[in-house]
């Protein structure tokens, strides 16, 4: 701060003004302090309102019209960041206590020891500066927090919120981020001849860098998927695009599948992602075989294998991220793939995609209990109708 | 999470204990990089590592990348079953050398 600290001195004794200016002259000349004077509380309030920029108040207690204790109550109404120091009679603990309770930062006693007063002023100003700095950090933090909330809304808004309306199949997905901005996403793409593309992905790490990586991954996947029909080829292309200039070593695991509603053929390729869960109409559950692909963004020019299964009417495929299987309860044990299998094993309780996804979220929440969520939880369900 | 290190048979062995997740992945990476000098072979022993998240895997990639830049060797060893499964699913068993024991790793890399 370059301007001098402005100190308002309030006292009904006219002697104090010349004395103060004389004893503090070196600090005034050095441009450290400047003084404003008032002879009672009312005049002090006028100064505070009109003069502006006053950093601290040094006030006597007993004064006509408005005393120092009343003034103390009024100062925060003008500016809550102004710090006050009270000048009291020696040993007047009652008034000193009252002043402290009303927010005085410190006190000095009469007769004023100017050396002690100067130390008190410096201490008060230092405290005030720290306070102002903390306030400015808080404001910045609030603004970052607001931006993160916007980022989170943008992230949520890119997730499909409407799902295809088709008599032959249903698809439904949901994602719950662990923090403001997450690294998971899912996507549903409609192609010519009624085929659909389904993607679920999990970016390593969370926070802003992961969110940016996730956005670019999603955009690339959407773009590439329109031009290429084979899931393995799509992952290969997206991998190369993500790998370019990826110094951060962020990576993304992706399960990408194309479903043909006419034939029931479900062709998928995995880039380091968890194996999908297949729930047959008879209630038998199994993990689909992994296709041994490496997570995207790490190594260029990879060939991604793909695998095809055929869904019979009543069958369901469930795609998920490890936020589901690694969800922890308060004992520290994980939900695991077994937990996921158990939800659906032997059951014919649910028969719709939305119910499947919702059931996973419900069961994971029940399992977690009071434990906190460490990872984004995402689930995307495809169901072939009868 | 705890990181300790020793030099055996021409290789630096860095042992990591506990959990590595999003909350301490950067600390883990710094700790490992901190004990690496101009070693030609670095082995990350995971015998006592109970959990690693994808953020932790990314830290391992960054450590490996740093070593690769100066042509030093890098491998991991003694993975618990669950950790081995994570490596396999993500496909990192194909890009990071994995040895079943510290002895095997030293024999393969040390000089």
């Amino acid at each position: 701060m370059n301007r001098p600290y402005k100190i308002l001195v309030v006292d009904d004794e006219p002697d104090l003004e010349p004395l103060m200016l004389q004893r503090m002259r070196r600090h005034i000349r050095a441009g450290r302090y400047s003084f404003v004077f008032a002879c009672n509380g009312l005049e002090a309030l006028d100064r505070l309102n009109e003069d502006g920029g006053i950093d601290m108040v040094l006030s006597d207690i007993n004064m006509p019209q408005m005393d120092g204790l009343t003034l103390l109550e009024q100062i925060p109404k003008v500016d809550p960041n102004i710090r006050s120091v009270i000048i009291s009679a020696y040993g007047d603990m009652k008034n000193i206590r009252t002043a402290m309770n009303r927010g005085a930062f410190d006190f000095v006693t009469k007769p004023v020891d100017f050396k002690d007063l100067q130390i008190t002023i410096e201490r008060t100003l230092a405290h005030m500066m720290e306070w102002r700095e903390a306030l400015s950090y808080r404001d910045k933090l609030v603004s970052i927090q607001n931006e993160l909330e916007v980022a989170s809304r943008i992230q949520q808004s890119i997730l499909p919120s409407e799902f295809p309306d088709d008599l032959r199949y249903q698809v439904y997905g949901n994602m719950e981020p662990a923090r403001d901005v997450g690294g998971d996403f899912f996507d549903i793409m409609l192609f010519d001849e009624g085929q659909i593309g389904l993607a679920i992905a999990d970016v390593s790490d969370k926070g802003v860098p992961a969110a940016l990586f996730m956005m670019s991954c999603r955009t690339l996947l959407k773009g590439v998927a329109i031009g290429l029909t084979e899931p393995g080829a799509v992952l290969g292309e997206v991998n190369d695009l993500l790998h370019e200039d990826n110094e951060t070593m962020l990576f993304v695991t992706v399960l990408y599948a194309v479903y043909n509603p006419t034939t029931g053929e479900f062709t998928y390729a995995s880039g380091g992602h968890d194996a999908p869960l297949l729930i047959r109409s008879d209630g038998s559950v199994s993990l689909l075989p992994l296709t041994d692909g490496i997570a995207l963004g790490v190594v260029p020019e990879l060939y991604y294998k793909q695998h095809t299964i055929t869904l019979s009417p009543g069958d369901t495929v469930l795609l998920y991220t490890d936020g589901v299987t690694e969800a922890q309860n308060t004992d520290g044990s994980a939900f695991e793939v077994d937990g996921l299998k158990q939800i659906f094993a032997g059951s014919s309780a649910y028969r719709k995609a939305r119910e499947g996804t919702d059931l996973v979220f419900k069961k994971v929440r029940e399992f977690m209990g009071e434990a906190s969520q460490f990872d984004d939880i995402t689930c995307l369900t495809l169901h072939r109708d009868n | 999470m705890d990181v300790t290190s020793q030099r055996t048979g021409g290789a630096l062995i860095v042992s990591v204990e506990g959990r590595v997740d999003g909350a301490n992945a950067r600390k883990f990476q710094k700790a490992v990089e901190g004990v690496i000098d101009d070693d030609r072979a670095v082995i990350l022993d995971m015998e006592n590592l109970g959990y690693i998240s994808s953020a932790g895997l990314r830290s391992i990639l960054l450590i490996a990348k740093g070593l690769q830049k100066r042509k030093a060797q890098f491998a991991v060893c003694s993975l618990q079953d669950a950790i081995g499964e994570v490596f396999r699913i993500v496909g990192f068993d194909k890009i990071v050398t994995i040895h079943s024991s510290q002895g095997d790793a030293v024999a393969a890399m040390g000089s």
Side-chain angles (χ1 to χ4, degrees):
Chain A
M1 185 183 263
N2 292 319
R3 70 168 179 86
Y5 290 109
K6 201 187 251 187
I7 301 166
L8 172 62
V9 181
V10 194
D11 200 330
D12 57 340
E13 289 172 33
D15 297 349
L16 187 64
E17 179 170 343
L19 192 60
M20 185 72 76
L21 294 172
Q22 203 267 331
R23 300 300 289 267
M24 294 291 177
R25 65 187 184 284
R26 279 194 297 121
H27 300 291
I28 296 168
R29 272 207 304 270
R32 178 114 185 118
Y33 306 151
S34 74
F35 288 92
V36 185
F37 295 87
C39 60
N40 63 56
L42 277 183
E43 210 182 303
L45 280 181
D46 286 345
R47 286 280 158 283
L48 285 168
N49 282 315
E50 288 159 16
D51 251 14
I54 287 170
D55 298 298
M56 71 170 278
V57 175
L58 180 65
S59 176
D60 189 16
I61 291 179
N62 296 317
M63 294 176 293
Q65 288 182 291
M66 184 191 282
D67 65 19
L69 296 176
T70 312
L71 174 64
L72 274 178
E73 289 184 314
Q74 297 300 316
I75 290 171
K77 295 177 189 165
V78 179
D79 182 349
N81 299 322
I82 294 175
R83 291 286 169 273
S84 309
V85 171
I86 276 304
I87 308 170
S88 81
Y90 183 80
D92 184 7
M93 274 324 278
K94 187 166 172 285
N95 274 330
I96 289 171
R97 281 310 315 156
T98 308
M100 300 303 270
N101 287 339
R102 291 185 182 182
F105 177 72
D106 204 349
F107 66 92
V108 292
T109 53
K110 289 176 180 176
V112 176
D113 170 348
F114 280 88
K115 201 171 168 213
D116 176 55
L117 175 64
Q118 206 255 321
I119 292 169
T120 305
I121 288 174
E122 280 303 315
R123 222 170 58 79
T124 308
L125 291 173
H127 173 83
M128 185 205 65
M129 290 312 289
E130 275 173 26
W131 171 258
R132 283 188 187 167
E133 205 177 331
L135 283 183
S136 115
Y137 282 138
R138 188 196 62 181
D139 291 347
K140 277 181 200 155
L141 208 60
V142 167
S143 114
I144 291 171
Q145 192 66 37
N146 287 342
E147 284 174 26
L148 282 175
E149 272 166 32
V150 173
S152 171
R153 280 205 298 278
I154 292 172
Q155 266 199 320
Q156 285 283 348
S157 73
I158 62 152
L159 297 177
S161 54
E162 287 181 20
F163 299 92
D165 185 18
D166 195 301
L167 289 173
R168 299 167 296 176
Y169 69 90
Q170 301 160 22
V171 59
Y172 185 82
N174 193 11
M175 189 272 269
E176 275 185 27
R179 290 204 323 212
D180 292 337
V181 285
D184 278 12
F185 74 92
F186 67 92
D187 209 353
I188 300 162
M189 291 157 261
L190 299 178
F191 301 130
D192 294 343
E193 289 140 26
Q195 300 211 76
I196 56 166
L198 300 171
I200 192 162
D202 182 355
V203 174
S204 56
D205 217 345
K206 285 177 277 296
V208 174
L212 289 171
F213 193 80
M214 172 269 213
M215 291 294 253
S216 86
C217 175
R218 174 196 168 263
T219 308
L220 292 173
L221 186 67
K222 231 182 172 65
V224 172
I226 290 167
L228 295 170
T229 47
E230 302 297 325
V234 170
L235 290 192
E237 183 72 22
V238 174
N239 176 52
D240 285 345
L241 292 166
L242 281 177
H243 177 261
E244 285 173 20
D245 309 317
N246 181 16
E247 280 299 314
T248 63
M249 281 309 203
L250 281 166
F251 61 86
V252 57
T253 69
V254 184
L255 193 297
Y256 178 63
V258 174
Y259 177 64
N260 183 332
T262 313
T263 62
E265 278 179 332
F266 179 84
T267 303
Y268 66 95
S270 168
H273 200 84
D274 299 80
L277 188 74
L278 173 65
I279 307 153
R280 291 292 190 189
S281 57
D282 63 2
S284 63
V285 292
S286 59
L287 287 182
L288 292 179
L290 280 175
T291 55
D292 292 335
I294 297 174
L296 280 63
V298 185
V299 185
E301 291 168 29
L302 291 174
Y303 168 74
Y304 285 89
K305 283 190 284 185
Q306 61 186 42
H307 186 74
T308 302
I309 58 157
T310 302
L311 298 185
S312 303
D315 288 351
T316 302
V317 178
L318 198 125
L319 314 182
Y320 56 93
T321 56
D322 59 10
V324 173
T325 47
E326 289 179 9
Q328 288 190 357
N329 62 14
T330 44
D331 298 334
S333 40
F335 193 64
E336 305 288 1
V337 174
D338 282 345
L340 193 56
K341 284 179 172 173
Q342 273 168 26
I343 297 176
F344 300 102
S347 151
S348 53
Y350 93 101
R351 278 291 165 255
K352 306 290 177 195
R354 172 155 196 165
E355 286 163 16
T357 294
D358 287 348
L359 197 58
V360 170
F361 276 88
K362 181 169 169 275
K363 292 290 182 185
V364 169
R365 285 259 165 261
E366 281 174 11
F367 174 80
M368 287 168 66
E370 298 294 309
S372 36
Q373 184 187 339
F374 288 111
D375 202 357
D376 305 339
I377 298 176
T378 309
C379 184
L380 177 62
T381 307
L382 168 71
H383 176 75
R384 183 174 184 187
D385 271 315
N386 285 304
Chain B
M1 187 272 300
D2 202 22
V3 169
T4 53
S5 66
Q6 66 182 89
R7 288 187 171 77
T8 309
L12 172 72
I13 295 157
V14 185
S15 303
V16 55
E17 205 179 311
R19 289 170 57 90
V20 176
D21 55 27
N24 64 11
R26 270 170 197 77
K27 206 175 129 201
F28 160 71
Q29 186 192 333
K30 289 251 178 320
V32 174
E33 287 172 346
V35 295
I36 298 173
D37 203 351
D38 55 354
D39 298 275
R40 306 310 303 161
V42 176
I43 298 161
L44 191 61
D45 189 324
M46 300 190 173
E47 186 175 2
N48 296 312
L49 180 70
Y51 174 82
I52 189 160
S53 75
S54 55
L57 291 176
R58 180 188 163 218
S59 297
I60 291 179
L61 289 182
L62 285 163
I63 292 162
K65 196 184 173 88
L67 291 168
Q68 196 182 22
K69 271 186 184 159
R70 56 178 187 81
K71 308 263 188 286
Q73 288 182 284
F74 177 72
V76 298
C77 75
S78 315
L79 279 63
Q80 293 181 14
D81 290 350
I83 307 274
E85 182 68 6
V86 169
F87 269 73
R88 195 177 68 82
I89 291 175
V90 180
F92 286 4
D93 53 339
K94 296 175 200 70
I95 53 180
V96 177
T97 310
I98 301 175
H99 294 286
S100 56
S101 71
Q102 200 187 98
D104 285 0
V106 174
M109 297 170 74
S111 54

